């Protein structure tokens, strides 16, 4: 089914309001297996709305109009659709009763004839009752095209869609998706590796998305149940992870997942505690841990040691050694991690030191980061080059690398 959304309201075109309804409806229709092909915004003008309806009738199976169902003269959506389809407007009994009750309970409000426009619906339409407002919505099918009228205010539209419209549109087949998350590879490289799968994709579909420091793949399929969808999604996921070294770069699934969340969950599962000593990231790693409920079970506390003197003082590292080795070095990263673990008696410690930019430091270019990791068994470090990125990106990506290092260490244990 091809769907089209027409938002009616001059205030949308002038930028006075943002059309959040289109996003909500597109997501809702996608979950029902209905594809939205077009979105249009048109002002409160009968002639222009009629022209859009004529175009929509020729190219879409489902046309959803939002807004313009109110009592004022510029609320003309219902009247224009009535003219376009050649259907009279009749009063819906339930909507009239709600209108009566509303004004009966508010004697201070004057009821005028135009208020009753909100209770009108096209002849032959299925009324969509408004649980939070007064303007009734409707659904009518004419010449194999289904037209839906919805109010503009999101507080009225969303309940009407969820409670009234969705049961009428549900066909049994829905859209199911799975998000695969990868760290340590760019979008263009990932797409190149998967070129054969992406080029021949039909169902499920594969859509790559780049985020700061990572890439995701959204797999989507239509099916009548989650179980049947899983069979198709599992097959494609296995094919993807069999390409190159993608299985090593894959760290989890889900829209709301992240490297920090995956690592946090591993810490809880293994009963391990962690601390951190941060320089260029200034506590960002620790703040990311603290975002999760129950963080105190795995995170005892940590250190933000921005200057060389504070690294020496807070972590008990000889200042002379730091001056000799430099703060942007393997030595400093490993010492920071080692001392942080000892001082807090944690199972693991991670450290971050480097050059966020834009200038170089100690002869090291911006984007150079050393990450240390200490456990009871060993102390190690990795050097990461995050060149050509903004200061904030360098810090954010460095933290992702730190979480990934901890994650891989926990998986090996």
């Amino acid at each position: 089914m091809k769907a089209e959304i027409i938002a009616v309201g001059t205030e949308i075109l002038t930028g006075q309001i943002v059309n959040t309804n289109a996003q909500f409806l597109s997501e809702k229709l996608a979950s029902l297996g209905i594809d939205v092909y077009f979105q249009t915004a048109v002002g409160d003008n009968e002639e222009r709305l009629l022209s859009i309806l004529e175009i929509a009738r020729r190219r879409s199976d489902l046309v959803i109009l939002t807004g313009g169902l109110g009592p004022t003269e510029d609320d003309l959506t219902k009247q224009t659709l009535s003219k376009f389809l050649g259907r009279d407007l009749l009063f819906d009994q339930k909507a009239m009763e709600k209108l009566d009750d509303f004004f009966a309970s508010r004697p201070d409000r004057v009821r005028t004839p135009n208020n009753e426009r909100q209770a009108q619906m096209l002849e032959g339409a299925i009324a969509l009752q408004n649980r939070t407002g007064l303007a009734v919505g409707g659904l009518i099918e004419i010449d194999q095209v289904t037209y839906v009228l919805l109010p503009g205010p999101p507080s009225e539209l969303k309940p009407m869609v969820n409670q009234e419209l969705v049961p009428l549109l549900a066909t049994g087949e829905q859209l199911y998706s799975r998000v695969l998350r990868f760290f340590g590879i760019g979008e263009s490289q990932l797409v190149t590796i998967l070129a054969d799968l992406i080029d021949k994709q039909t169902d499920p579909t594969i859509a790559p998305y780049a985020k700061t420091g990572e890439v995701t793949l959204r797999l989507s399929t239509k099916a009548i149940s989650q179980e049947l969808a899983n069979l198709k999604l599992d097959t494609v996921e296995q094919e993807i992870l069999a390409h190159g070294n993608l299985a090593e770069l894959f760290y989890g699934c889900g829209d709301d997942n992240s490297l920090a969340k995956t690592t946090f969950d591993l810490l809880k599962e293994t009963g391990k505690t962690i601390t951190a000593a941060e320089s260029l990231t200034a506590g960002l790693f620790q703040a990311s841990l603290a975002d999760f409920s129950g963080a105190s079970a795995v995170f005892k506390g940590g250190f933000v040691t921005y200057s060389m003197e504070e690294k020496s003082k807070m972590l008990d590292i000889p200042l002379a050694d730091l001056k000799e080795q430099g703060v942007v070095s393997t030595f400093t990263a490993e010492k920071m991690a080692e001392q942080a673990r000892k001082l807090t008696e944690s199972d693991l410690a991670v450290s971050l030191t480097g050059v966020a930019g834009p200038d170089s430091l100690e002869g090291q270019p911006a984007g150079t980061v050393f990450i240390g990791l200490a456990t009871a068994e060993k102390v190690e470090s990795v050097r990461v080059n995050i060149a050509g990125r903004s200061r904030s990106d360098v810090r954010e990506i460095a933290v992702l690398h730190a979480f990934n290092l901890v994650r891989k260490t926990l998986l090996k244990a």
Side-chain angles (χ1 to χ4, degrees):
M1 179 180 284
K2 300 176 184 177
E4 179 161 348
I5 300 170
I6 302 173
V8 183
T10 302
E11 64 274 17
I12 296 173
L13 297 176
T14 58
Q16 292 174 275
I17 65 170
V18 177
N19 183 20
T20 58
N21 289 334
Q23 179 186 12
F24 169 78
L25 286 168
S26 293
E27 292 179 344
K28 185 64 64 174
L29 291 172
S31 72
L32 296 172
I34 300 172
D35 300 314
V36 176
Y37 278 28
F38 306 98
Q39 292 184 11
T40 306
V42 62
D44 302 307
N45 179 282
E46 182 184 278
E47 183 180 350
R48 289 193 285 273
L49 181 52
L50 285 171
S51 69
I52 293 296
L53 285 169
E54 182 59 44
I55 294 170
R57 172 164 58 185
R58 296 196 299 266
R59 68 186 184 185
S60 300
D61 307 306
L62 173 64
V63 179
I64 298 180
L65 298 101
T66 67
L69 305 189
T72 62
E73 288 302 317
D74 63 348
D75 290 316
L76 45 73
T77 304
K78 200 180 300 181
Q79 291 72 21
T80 305
L81 185 61
S82 168
K83 181 177 180 178
F84 179 73
L85 297 177
R87 292 293 180 106
D88 291 334
L89 288 171
L90 306 176
F91 287 104
D92 177 73
Q93 186 60 36
K94 285 187 178 180
M96 280 297 292
E97 291 173 0
K98 185 168 186 180
L99 200 65
D100 293 340
D101 292 341
F102 175 82
F103 282 99
S105 65
R106 293 167 176 80
D108 58 315
R109 299 286 292 272
V110 177
R111 179 170 178 168
T112 56
N114 63 339
N115 286 124
E116 298 183 358
R117 290 160 54 104
Q118 298 174 92
Q120 289 182 318
M121 184 41 55
L122 274 70
E123 181 183 9
I126 299 173
L128 305 177
Q129 298 303 325
N130 194 330
R131 309 296 178 92
T132 55
L134 298 176
V136 65
L139 179 149
I140 188 169
E141 183 178 343
I142 304 288
D143 296 330
Q144 297 183 314
V145 179
T146 300
Y147 300 88
V148 175
L149 288 164
L150 298 172
S155 61
E156 299 180 27
L157 178 142
K158 291 182 179 180
M160 185 180 290
V161 169
N162 289 329
Q163 300 168 23
E164 301 281 327
L165 181 61
V166 166
L168 297 176
L169 295 181
T171 61
E173 192 174 69
Q174 299 183 38
L175 182 71
Y176 295 92
S177 294
R178 179 182 301 173
V179 176
L180 310 184
R181 310 186 76 94
F182 299 84
F183 180 76
I185 189 170
E187 181 183 15
S188 59
Q189 185 182 0
L190 180 62
V191 169
T192 300
I193 292 174
L194 296 175
D196 61 325
L197 285 180
I198 293 175
D199 289 344
K200 70 177 184 181
Q201 65 175 316
T202 51
D203 179 35
T205 58
I206 305 170
Y209 298 92
K211 301 182 67 177
T212 302
E214 65 175 303
V215 184
T216 64
L217 291 176
R218 180 176 292 276
L219 315 182
S220 301
T221 186
K222 291 179 181 177
I224 60 173
S225 70
Q226 182 72 65
E227 290 73 22
L228 291 176
N230 284 342
L231 290 175
K232 293 193 282 185
L233 295 174
D234 287 345
T235 299
V236 176
E237 179 180 329
Q238 290 167 11
E239 291 178 357
I240 289 171
L241 297 183
H243 280 62
N245 65 335
L246 294 186
E248 298 176 16
L249 303 175
F250 170 72
Y251 74 82
C253 295
D255 270 316
D256 57 352
N257 201 358
S258 65
L259 266 174
K261 181 65 166 60
T262 299
T263 306
F264 175 77
D265 289 342
L266 278 173
L267 287 165
K268 289 187 69 175
E269 290 170 16
T270 56
K272 301 292 186 182
T273 57
I274 190 169
T275 186
E278 301 180 66
S279 183
L280 83 156
T281 48
L284 186 57
F285 181 93
Q286 297 166 71
S288 299
L289 276 178
D291 280 340
F292 304 115
S293 176
S296 59
V298 301
F299 177 52
K300 295 183 175 184
F303 308 85
V304 176
T305 57
Y306 219 71
S307 70
M308 183 182 292
E309 289 73 19
E310 289 305 314
K311 288 178 177 63
S312 174
K313 185 189 305 181
M314 295 176 68
L315 296 171
D316 195 23
I317 304 172
L319 184 58
D321 291 347
L322 290 172
K323 288 181 178 180
E324 179 183 350
Q325 300 291 336
V327 294
V328 188
S329 65
T330 296
F331 169 83
T332 299
E334 293 183 358
K335 274 297 180 183
M336 288 173 66
E338 180 182 13
Q339 290 300 104
R341 195 189 77 82
K342 288 180 180 178
L343 291 168
T344 60
E345 297 182 341
S346 299
D347 296 311
L348 300 96
V350 68
S351 67
L352 296 109
T353 183
V355 191
D359 301 321
S360 61
L361 178 65
E362 298 179 347
Q364 302 281 10
T368 302
V369 178
F370 288 88
I371 303 170
L373 182 73
T375 64
E377 292 77 30
K378 64 177 180 178
V379 180
E380 60 183 321
S381 64
V382 296
R383 175 175 175 158
V384 180
N385 182 22
I386 315 172
R389 307 299 290 261
S390 68
R391 227 181 122 76
S392 60
D393 279 355
V394 169
R395 297 171 70 243
E396 185 175 343
I397 296 171
V399 167
L400 291 177
H401 277 282
F403 274 115
N404 197 45
L405 183 59
V406 174
R407 180 185 70 87
K408 292 197 290 187
T409 299
L410 290 169
L411 289 174
K412 292 176 184 176

